[in-house]
Amino acid sequence: METQNNIKQTAELIIKFLKNELSPQEKKDFELWLNASADNRALVESFRNTETVQHELNYIAAVDINKGWEEVSKQIQVKPAKTFSWNKLTKYSAAAVLVVALGFGLYNYLSTAKTRQFNQSAAVHDIMPGTQRATLRMADRSRMDLGTSSFWLVGDNGRIALGAKKGVLYFGKKGKRNNIAGNNVLETPRAGEYRMVLPDGTKVWLNAVSTLSFPTSFNQTERRVELTGEAYFEVAHNKAMPFKVAFNQTEVEVLGTHFNINSYGKTSKTTLVEGSIKVTENGRQQLLRPGEEAVIDNGAVNIHKTDTYKSIAWKEGTFYFKEDSMTDIMDQLFRWYDVEIVYKGKPDTKRYSGNIRRQATLNQVLEMLNAVSGARFSLENRKVTVDFNN
């Protein structure tokens, strides 16, 4: 088990390595640590390949490392029931950013014997993350189970009508599989996600437990689809044919833009990344600008500025938590790992911030959550028990 001082030194070396600022002696020390374990190398590679690492490094150029480490050390010595605020991290040291912000994992990894409270028997049983899989129900009632395999279907006119490659579904612009009118439905199960390119060139990312209904061909006045669950859209621009997304009792209209819609619960959220969109609820139309989010609850629409990355992180392969409750976090795990969630005791009211790669196994995610919360997690078959009675 490493001491806090050793953890601090290792964290500083990793930060300097990521920033390419190692001195010759530090480079030797870092290489010794790196070569001491395959897990050490894997840990560093996971940080280097994470898109948010550079975003975090931008905060730490002029920070007092020792002062920041003292702040984090105070929190580490407290019982795990604590909240790491994303905003608070911006004034911490390089070590603090690595220890806390990058997936909760570095401190937990370097001081496993001291901090890990996760049920060790769970190491024998684990659940892998979701994959690219979906079901396509065609208007002619045919059905296709989609995964990562590739296929191409030729239409009546000899052109490509439908195909899939590397987890992306494609519809040909001029190829028709048949003349049947109606809607196709792309549906993702728990632990599944999929991408699609519509005939007009619009790109759609469909999250787990979601469906997108779309016509075999768009009419001449509009491009209309219906969504349940969550999807991210990059709409191909066509001024003459607005693109409309219907979900719950809401409609979003765009000409060409990038936005995310989350309609899992009673409260839906539409987040605009670029361009502009119109949100219509109960006949009232409101305009969204980039960086804004429309929260729709029981017919009321509230528009506010937001962190757009929080809404689209899922499509980038990341669980991104920012002032989220434990129940909100577990809702995401329920969909991505296809597990049942059971609570013991009253869920706490604390809020948690940080990020975890969606490629992590369920046990890895639960270990990270255990390191920053007062809850205990146990995994049996496909049931996760969250125990707040500590």
Side-chain angles (χ1 to χ4, degrees):
M1 180 179 68
E2 296 194 43
T3 65
Q4 279 196 19
N5 189 52
N6 288 338
I7 297 169
K8 173 189 173 184
Q9 293 173 356
T10 303
E12 290 175 3
L13 287 175
I14 294 175
I15 278 287
K16 290 185 177 181
F17 169 74
L18 293 171
K19 296 177 67 178
N20 197 27
E21 294 179 354
L22 289 172
S23 69
Q25 182 58 49
E26 288 171 336
K27 186 175 181 180
K28 290 180 181 178
D29 294 339
F30 177 74
E31 288 177 350
L32 284 174
W33 176 85
L34 193 66
N35 295 326
S37 166
D39 289 340
N40 292 354
R41 186 174 297 276
L43 180 72
V44 173
E45 287 301 316
S46 71
F47 286 158
R48 189 164 59 175
N49 292 334
T50 300
E51 192 169 304
T52 49
V53 170
Q54 188 57 52
H55 174 72
E56 295 305 324
L57 291 177
N58 290 338
Y59 285 115
I60 62 177
V63 178
D64 186 330
I65 289 178
N66 291 323
K67 184 177 181 180
W69 179 257
E70 290 172 2
E71 293 290 334
V72 173
S73 296
K74 291 176 184 177
Q75 296 195 47
I76 289 172
Q77 292 168 1
V78 177
K79 192 176 180 179
K82 55 184 176 293
T83 300
F84 288 117
S85 166
W86 188 269
N87 292 329
K88 198 172 183 180
L89 285 173
T90 62
K91 66 181 182 181
Y92 284 169
S93 67
V97 172
L98 258 182
V99 169
V100 184
L102 303 184
F104 306 122
L106 183 58
Y107 181 82
N108 189 52
Y109 168 79
L110 293 174
S111 57
T112 297
K114 182 177 180 180
T115 64
R116 182 168 297 166
Q117 298 181 25
F118 184 67
N119 186 353
Q120 295 299 317
S121 64
V124 179
H125 173 63
D126 205 351
I127 293 178
M128 301 305 292
T131 58
Q132 295 167 321
R133 58 194 181 106
T135 299
L136 176 65
R137 302 198 306 269
M138 303 290 287
D140 63 2
R141 297 188 178 181
S142 61
R143 174 189 171 105
M144 298 181 185
D145 290 325
L146 306 175
T148 56
S149 58
S150 300
F151 69 86
W152 302 102
L153 298 179
V154 178
D156 300 334
N157 57 7
R159 296 178 181 271
I160 296 295
L162 175 68
K165 185 177 182 180
K166 295 182 179 179
V168 184
L169 182 66
Y170 298 89
F171 285 84
K173 293 184 178 181
K174 298 182 179 180
K176 288 186 177 181
R177 190 180 175 202
N178 52 52
N179 295 319
I180 297 176
N183 278 5
N184 306 315
V185 178
L186 183 66
E187 181 177 11
T188 54
R190 294 184 193 176
E193 63 180 7
Y194 215 77
R195 291 174 56 192
M196 174 171 54
V197 180
L198 292 168
D200 67 331
T202 292
K203 299 176 182 177
V204 183
W205 285 253
L206 199 61
N207 205 350
V209 197
S210 303
T211 64
L212 188 75
S213 177
F214 53 99
T216 53
S217 61
F218 292 122
N219 62 37
Q220 299 301 309
T221 59
E222 67 177 13
R223 298 166 288 169
R224 184 182 179 85
V225 300
E226 296 182 5
L227 171 71
T228 63
E230 183 169 24
Y232 176 80
F233 296 85
E234 292 186 355
V235 178
H237 183 77
N238 186 335
K239 189 175 182 179
M241 290 180 60
F243 190 95
K244 298 180 179 180
V245 184
F247 57 97
N248 298 339
Q249 303 300 314
T250 308
E251 181 179 271
V252 168
E253 179 181 340
V254 303
L255 297 177
T257 189
H258 300 181
F259 61 99
N260 190 84
I261 295 175
N262 182 325
S263 64
Y264 284 124
K266 294 181 180 179
T267 300
S268 62
K269 298 178 181 180
T270 299
T271 309
L272 182 61
V273 178
E274 72 176 57
S276 63
I277 59 178
K278 298 175 183 177
V279 177
T280 303
E281 176 74 11
N282 290 332
R284 183 186 178 192
Q285 193 175 82
Q286 298 188 61
L287 184 68
L288 252 67
R289 295 178 174 81
E292 291 183 337
E293 180 175 78
V295 179
I296 305 161
D297 186 9
N298 197 28
V301 180
N302 176 40
I303 297 176
H304 59 86
K305 284 286 187 181
T306 189
D307 177 356
T308 57
Y309 186 74
K310 178 175 171 58
S311 295
I312 69 170
W314 67 270
K315 90 173 191 55
E316 303 294 332
T318 302
F319 293 114
Y320 181 84
F321 310 125
K322 187 172 183 180
E323 295 298 314
D324 287 337
S325 68
M326 184 59 71
T327 54
D328 289 338
I329 292 172
M330 297 311 293
D331 281 346
Q332 294 189 50
L333 303 190
F334 154 77
R335 289 189 291 267
W336 188 234
Y337 293 94
D338 187 13
V339 291
E340 178 187 359
I341 308 296
V342 176
Y343 295 100
K344 285 186 177 181
K346 185 178 180 180
D348 61 35
T349 58
K350 296 182 178 69
R351 298 285 171 166
Y352 302 93
S353 300
N355 60 79
I356 303 172
R357 291 178 299 132
R358 276 163 65 103
Q359 292 79 15
T361 69
L362 181 57
N363 275 343
Q364 291 171 336
V365 174
L366 296 181
E367 288 182 14
M368 294 175 186
L369 292 177
N370 171 256
V372 295
S373 75
R376 285 180 173 271
F377 302 84
S378 61
L379 173 62
E380 183 178 355
N381 297 323
R382 301 198 75 88
K383 182 172 73 174
V384 175
T385 300
V386 187
D387 189 353
F388 291 97
N389 294 320
N390 290 322

